[in-house]
Amino acid sequence: MTGISQVSLKALPASEEIQQGESLATRTITESDTQKIPEAQGVNVSSLAVSWAKKYYNTVEARENQGLRQIPHSPESSNFDGTRAKIVDKLMDTLKVASEIAWGKVEAILGGQIEQHAIDRSLINHEEIATDTRTLYRKAIDAYGDREPAFRLSVVVGKELVKLRQKYSEKDSLVLGFVTLEFQYTSKILLGCLAESERSEFAPYLKVVDDYLHIPYGQINQAAANHPPNSRALLAVQHLLQHTTQIASAVYDRASSQHPGYRSSSGYLSDREVKISSIRDVEIFQSYLCWCVLEESIRPLQQELFPICVMLYPKLHVSWELVQDMLLILFWEISDRLPAEDLIVFLPYLRTVTEMFSSDVFDN
């Protein structure tokens, strides 16, 4: 669809109301900023979400401005065990230095965000994060060396990755942004030490680690456990999860056609690595929508997704316009692929996340 950025948010279907729940007392959010909306009072979830998002974004921006005033300015090789063993040795030798180099990049990009986002410095332990990164990647390398299929890695390290994600997000979700960036840069360095044919063999193992680290599988499963098997919300989530990768690919294709020549700090939108990470980001947004549906709450958006995006995207030179276009396309892709009974379940959260990231929040 062309001209997607010109589609008015007001043209989107009206959101459903969400049942009442507790408010989140976090950062600048007061007790009046709710995550579950009182149905009886007919409060519009989107309008509250936009108000909350504006408050969060403006507070972070104010801290940044204050800080600026205070601070001076190969397929064949898989047939030979000897070759695979050499690849494993190369990866293991690179891993230690890769995690240290990666942390240097993380600090260069996000070091100034600690004060701006009011993060407790004691929660960001460089040695602990680097050690956890090496531990998980060693297991991925070992699985590759042992010829475990890449999909089996989810069994080998899936639970550990879920625990790792919960460990770093439970006290402050923004710490997870530092961790995911550490893994991301370490992964790039590991792939960079390999020949192209070797990369194609090992990359799927890194993809599994990447997926489990970025997508809240643990929280989604915990929330799903609270639903009966015939729950309308659970069935809708199951149906969407069957299509998330196809939807993400379609969103990327349409968004990239709307932004020819677009470039972030990672490269051009058309670059292979940027394409992979962009598709992953769309999958992440869909996973948070599933989490919201199962919790019947916008808390996952407010507590994790929005703050992490506000911290990471500007530093990685990802424009809000691109994010807004991506979310509008995502809205229509989900609308086209889900039956009406599933769509009505996702509708309040689709509209909410779209409006939270709208120009109403970020245009000052």
Side-chain angles (χ1 to χ4, degrees), residues 40 92 175 178:
M92 288 295 191
V175 177
F178 287 77

Side-chain angles (χ1 to χ4, degrees), residues 153-224:
L153 194 59
S154 63
V155 178
V156 176
V157 299
K159 288 183 180 179
E160 289 183 63
L161 283 163
V162 167
K163 289 179 181 177
L164 179 74
R165 195 183 190 285
Q166 292 175 331
K167 164 186 165 183
Y168 284 111
S169 63
E170 63 181 357
K171 291 185 178 178
D172 189 332
S173 61
L174 290 177
V175 177
L176 192 60
F178 287 77
V179 177
T180 56
L181 213 55
E182 165 73 2
F183 271 80
Q184 179 180 327
Y185 286 129
T186 301
S187 173
K188 284 185 177 181
I189 295 169
L190 289 176
L191 288 176
C193 81
L194 301 177
E196 187 172 351
S197 59
E198 298 168 343
R199 259 182 240 134
S200 64
E201 286 191 355
F202 185 61
Y205 294 82
L206 295 179
K207 178 70 165 62
V208 173
V209 174
D210 189 66
D211 285 348
Y212 268 86
L213 191 62
H214 283 87
I215 295 175
Y217 288 119
Q219 290 88 340
I220 290 173
N221 288 334
Q222 288 172 3

Side-chain angles (χ1 to χ4, degrees), residues 117-312:
H117 290 263
I119 303 170
D120 182 351
R121 288 181 177 273
S122 67
L123 298 177
I124 302 175
N125 186 318
H126 158 219
E127 290 299 331
E128 184 179 13
I129 293 173
T131 298
D132 286 340
T133 303
R134 289 192 294 270
T135 298
L136 269 301
Y137 276 142
R138 281 194 193 102
K139 293 189 177 183
I141 295 168
D142 284 339
Y144 168 75
D146 293 341
R147 294 185 174 277
E148 286 275 8
F151 70 85
R152 281 278 304 165
L153 194 59
S154 63
V155 178
V156 176
V157 299
K159 288 183 180 179
E160 289 183 63
L161 283 163
V162 167
K163 289 179 181 177
L164 179 74
R165 195 183 190 285
Q166 292 175 331
K167 164 186 165 183
Y168 284 111
S169 63
E170 63 181 357
K171 291 185 178 178
D172 189 332
S173 61
L174 290 177
V175 177
L176 192 60
F178 287 77
V179 177
T180 56
L181 213 55
E182 165 73 2
F183 271 80
Q184 179 180 327
Y185 286 129
T186 301
S187 173
K188 284 185 177 181
I189 295 169
L190 289 176
L191 288 176
C193 81
L194 301 177
E196 187 172 351
S197 59
E198 298 168 343
R199 259 182 240 134
S200 64
E201 286 191 355
F202 185 61
Y205 294 82
L206 295 179
K207 178 70 165 62
V208 173
V209 174
D210 189 66
D211 285 348
Y212 268 86
L213 191 62
H214 283 87
I215 295 175
Y217 288 119
Q219 290 88 340
I220 290 173
N221 288 334
Q222 288 172 3
N226 296 323
H227 288 258
N230 62 345
S231 159
R232 183 67 260 164
L234 183 58
L235 292 174
V237 165
Q238 290 172 338
H239 293 161
L240 179 62
L241 289 176
Q242 295 171 9
H243 302 288
T244 51
T245 300
Q246 296 96 318
I247 289 173
S249 297
V251 171
Y252 165 80
D253 289 341
R254 294 169 67 179
S256 59
S257 71
Q258 295 299 310
H259 296 266
Y262 177 87
R263 195 180 196 285
S264 69
S265 60
S266 300
Y268 289 99
L269 198 55
S270 56
D271 291 349
R272 184 177 180 275
E273 285 188 9
V274 177
K275 176 180 180 178
I276 292 171
S277 64
S278 298
I279 291 173
R280 179 206 64 207
D281 282 1
V282 182
E283 290 178 313
I284 292 170
F285 272 80
Q286 291 179 83
S287 72
Y288 275 89
L289 288 170
C290 291
W291 186 4
C292 286
V293 164
L294 293 171
E295 276 202 3
E296 298 181 313
S297 166
I298 60 172
R299 184 190 65 82
L301 299 176
Q302 288 186 329
Q303 186 173 325
E304 279 198 17
L305 184 63
F306 186 83
I308 290 175
C309 289
V310 168
M311 182 176 72
L312 288 180

